[in-house]
Amino acid sequence: KIGVSQKAVVLNKEGKILVIRRTKSAPSRPLYWDLPGGVLDFGENTREAILREIREETGLKVNKLSIVDVASWFDVDTKKKQHFWVTVCYLAHTNSNKVVLSYEHDNFKWILPKDIQNFKTMLLYKKFISKAMIRK
């Protein structure tokens, strides 16, 4: 199975990035810190999809959207079937710090990019953040 997902490194005016924590009941990686984003639906426009996902998961409007990186990777579900993902990472800027979380996440933090090393998250997201900070 092949899936396409998108994530965004959202940067505020203070130079901090937004991380959001997956709920305890999340179907994958519960209580991991995440970046806003989600799975691209069949036929969906990529730009519209990432803007929608950011808005749905955080309530934020963003601007200056640009692609930072694209990565492919294998994930293994609970049935031990391999799932191949292609993930597009964006850098986005926001003028607001007011986050309204969706049901998928239970906490958020605005952090300095270097502080992501202290969070339980996917190594891929740490790499995305590092690349995004070079391009900011």
Side-chain angles (χ1 to χ4, degrees), residues 89-108:
C89 177
Y90 296 84
L91 174 62
H93 294 78
T94 186
N95 293 323
S96 174
N97 288 334
K98 184 179 177 186
V99 175
V100 178
L101 293 174
S102 73
Y103 68 93
E104 297 175 280
H105 299 91
D106 65 6
N107 197 1
F108 75 92

Side-chain angles (χ1 to χ4, degrees), residues 14-64:
E14 292 80 35
K16 293 184 176 182
I17 60 168
L18 178 65
V19 291
I20 51 181
R21 191 175 69 185
R22 299 170 68 83
T23 63
K24 186 177 182 178
S25 60
S28 63
R29 295 180 298 284
L31 299 178
Y32 270 56
W33 289 89
D34 201 358
L35 297 172
V39 177
L40 187 67
D41 293 330
F42 183 79
E44 191 172 24
N45 175 282
T46 54
R47 181 178 172 77
E48 292 172 8
I50 192 62
L51 292 173
R52 174 186 54 76
E53 286 285 356
I54 294 168
R55 192 173 48 255
E56 286 176 0
E57 292 184 351
T58 69
L60 292 171
K61 290 183 181 180
V62 297
N63 54 56
K64 298 182 189 175

Side-chain angles (χ1 to χ4, degrees), residues 63-130:
N63 54 56
K64 298 182 189 175
L65 187 68
S66 62
I67 294 176
V68 170
D69 198 13
V70 178
S72 57
W73 53 284
F74 283 99
D75 196 7
V76 180
D77 68 19
T78 56
K79 297 176 186 171
K80 303 296 180 198
K81 294 178 184 173
Q82 289 189 333
H83 192 137
F84 185 70
W85 286 99
V86 175
T87 303
V88 180
C89 177
Y90 296 84
L91 174 62
H93 294 78
T94 186
N95 293 323
S96 174
N97 288 334
K98 184 179 177 186
V99 175
V100 178
L101 293 174
S102 73
Y103 68 93
E104 297 175 280
H105 299 91
D106 65 6
N107 197 1
F108 75 92
K109 292 180 188 270
W110 289 101
I111 65 169
L112 293 172
K114 65 180 178 68
D115 292 338
I116 192 61
Q117 300 308 321
N118 302 323
F119 286 76
K120 183 179 178 182
T121 190
M122 290 181 61
L123 178 59
L124 178 62
Y125 299 165
K126 292 178 181 183
K127 289 179 182 178
F128 283 162
I129 291 166
S130 178

